[in-house]
Amino acid sequence: MRAVLKNANTTRLLIAEKGMSLRGFSKEIGISQGYLSQVLKGDKIPSPKIAFKIARGLGQDVNEFFFIYND
């Protein structure tokens, strides 16, 4: 399985609306800031586990943020 981010701008906006920086948000969900930045830039495709962490951290369903594909 792989997860592809639908819209990085929407994700960044929701993180900001939580009053958090990328660093604070990544720390809260247990991933590095560098990895989160790479996902948001489209340089990395996160594992489904990381995609779920991001979505849960934003209080949303993973399908709101990611296209999930079975390979």
Side-chain angles (χ1 to χ4, degrees):
M1 287 180 65
R2 63 188 174 113
V4 177
L5 187 63
K6 290 180 179 181
N7 188 319
N9 291 332
T10 300
T11 307
R12 286 179 187 272
L13 180 63
L14 287 172
I15 292 169
E17 285 177 354
K18 283 187 67 150
M20 302 188 86
S21 64
L22 291 182
R23 176 175 287 148
F25 180 72
S26 63
K27 186 176 180 178
E28 180 179 280
I29 64 171
I31 64 173
S32 73
Q33 178 193 355
Y35 190 78
L36 177 61
S37 293
Q38 290 175 327
V39 169
L40 293 174
K41 285 191 246 175
D43 294 338
K44 292 276 185 189
I45 295 175
S47 68
K49 180 179 177 180
I50 299 298
F52 279 96
K53 282 185 173 191
I54 293 169
R56 270 192 306 245
L58 295 170
Q60 302 286 325
D61 184 79
V62 71
N63 293 311
E64 294 293 320
F65 296 99
F66 293 92
F67 296 108
I68 306 292
Y69 297 101
N70 278 326
D71 290 340

